[in-house]
Each structure stands twice: as C-alpha cells, then as structure tokens.
Amino acid sequence: DPLRSPRQILLSVASVVWCTRLGTFLFNRISQDREDTRFTELKKEFWTFSIAWNLQVLWVFLLQLPVTLVNSSAVQPATGIWDVLGISLWCLGFLLEAVADGQKFAFRGVASNKGKFIQSGLWRYSRHPNYFGEILMWLGLSMSFCSCLSGLSWQLLVWLSPAFNAFLLLFVSGVPMLEKAGEKKWGKDPEYQRYMKNTSCILPWFPAPDGPK
C-alpha cells in the first residue's frame, strides 16, 4: 500500500492477529466452561460489575493506542532497529501466550484433570506465562511506534498502553483474581502450596523442585 508505511501495516496486522486469536480462544473457553467464575460474584452487584466491565473497555482503548496513533501519524521514519526489536518482541510474546493458552485449554479438556491445576509445559516455569506473553506483545508494539515520536509527552502517552496493561494483569483483574480463586480451590493441597511458593509468578524461571513421592 503506497499510502501506508511498513510500520503502519505491521502494527495493524499484529493487532488484528492478536484480537482474532484471543477472541477465538475466549469463545472456545467459555463454550467449554459455560461461565468465567472470576466474575460470578461481581455480577451480583450492578456497580461492581460495571466497574469491571468499564475497566475492560479502558484496557482495550489504551491497548490499541499505539496502533491508533501510528495510523494517525503523518511522520513515518524509515523502518529501523526499534521496529525490528519491537516486532520481534511482539512475535515472542504472541508465541508464549498462544502456546500457554493452548496448553491450559488442552489440560482442562482431559476428563482425568478435572479439579486439578496445571503445572506442565510453560506453566512449569511460570504461574502465568500467558500474561507474560501479553505484556511482551504490547511492549513490542509501543517500542516500534516510539521511533515515530520526538516529544516526551507523546512518548509517555504511548508507553501508557503497556504500563496500564501490565498494571491490570498484575494487580487488578489478572493475577490477583486467578490466584484468589486458586487458593480457594487448592489452598490446602501441599502440591499446590509447593508450586505457588517455588514457581515464578510472571517471568519464566527455574521450575519448582519435585515434591516428595
């Protein structure tokens, strides 16, 4: 497209690919589970659920900010090292999230695993490898777009996207809600306690040592 730079095309395609994969995964998951138990209690109170809903709206808006701004920017420097690093980071994050989600979906689809928690595959090295991948993706897109910006205020605005994404996943609706639900289900299970104590929360790291046989 002579009217669009390679950067604009790449970031736009990356956004569509992310949206399609995540939307398909969430649809398949809710078809299997019938409900998202994280929101069961929230739905009982209108205002509580409204806050959670609108946080998701804000999340999507800020997440797409680099893509929106890059397509609104008339200044498009030649593709450079920051674009290569940014798109590479996005590809790595996308792979991590897709594989982690796929592993968990497959694990939960096995009847004998009902009532169990996953600690195999990427989940052996991180309690939330899919969130790590999600954070990397939007760091990557923001990194690529930053090569178009010269003013500090614009750069700070763009970095608000991955910062808010990480904040939401790490401190609001991601890790806290999942680990609270996990504690309720398996908190008294010594194997779960060992996994939680010895496995990195986000960054993939050395796995927890094997428990006693």
Side-chain angles (χ1 to χ4, degrees):
D1 184 351
L3 300 179
R4 294 290 171 186
S5 70
R7 179 184 300 104
Q8 289 173 316
I9 294 172
L10 280 172
L11 266 63
S12 298
V13 168
S15 176
V16 172
V17 169
W18 166 81
C19 181
T20 304
R21 189 216 67 88
L22 185 60
T24 302
F25 168 74
L26 292 176
F27 176 79
N28 289 333
R29 189 179 70 179
I30 205 67
S31 296
Q32 182 186 72
D33 297 345
R34 299 302 176 189
E35 69 171 334
D36 189 334
T37 54
R38 293 176 300 170
F39 297 102
T40 301
E41 291 298 319
L42 294 177
K43 285 190 227 179
K44 294 179 180 178
E45 295 288 339
F46 172 80
W47 291 112
T48 305
F49 187 59
S50 177
I51 291 171
W53 178 267
N54 284 292
L55 267 178
Q56 297 298 316
V57 173
L58 180 61
W59 171 67
V60 172
F61 172 76
L62 290 177
L63 212 55
Q64 295 296 326
L65 198 57
V67 181
T68 303
L69 291 177
V70 77
N71 282 289
S72 304
S73 176
V75 179
Q76 291 294 325
T79 304
I81 184 64
W82 289 111
D83 297 291
V84 174
L85 289 174
I87 294 300
S88 298
L89 200 60
W90 184 90
C91 290
L92 175 61
F94 180 83
L95 182 64
L96 284 171
E97 184 178 43
V99 170
D101 281 343
Q103 288 175 341
K104 191 171 187 179
F105 187 79
F107 177 86
R108 296 175 69 179
V110 177
S112 60
N113 288 332
K114 187 174 182 180
K116 297 180 181 179
F117 63 94
I118 184 172
Q119 52 178 326
S120 56
L122 292 176
W123 302 83
R124 185 171 180 238
Y125 305 94
S126 167
R127 304 200 303 268
H128 305 280
N130 53 338
Y131 289 165
F132 180 63
E134 180 78 15
I135 290 169
L136 286 186
M137 280 194 289
W138 297 100
L139 277 173
L141 291 197
S142 297
M143 184 182 293
S144 175
F145 179 50
C146 267
S147 58
C148 299
L149 304 174
S150 56
L152 178 61
S153 57
W154 282 106
Q155 291 197 12
L156 291 176
L157 180 62
V158 169
W159 285 107
L160 181 62
S161 170
F164 184 77
N165 180 46
F167 172 76
L168 208 60
L169 291 176
L170 297 177
F171 302 109
V172 184
S173 64
V175 172
M177 292 180 74
L178 283 176
E179 298 205 336
K180 182 179 179 180
E183 181 66 24
K184 188 176 180 180
K185 285 183 183 178
W186 306 295
K188 296 182 180 180
D189 183 345
E191 183 66 11
Y192 181 74
Q193 294 173 0
R194 180 192 64 81
Y195 175 74
M196 293 295 292
K197 182 179 179 180
N198 296 286
T199 306
S200 171
C201 180
I202 294 292
L203 184 68
W205 197 243
F206 296 107
D210 293 333
K213 301 297 182 181

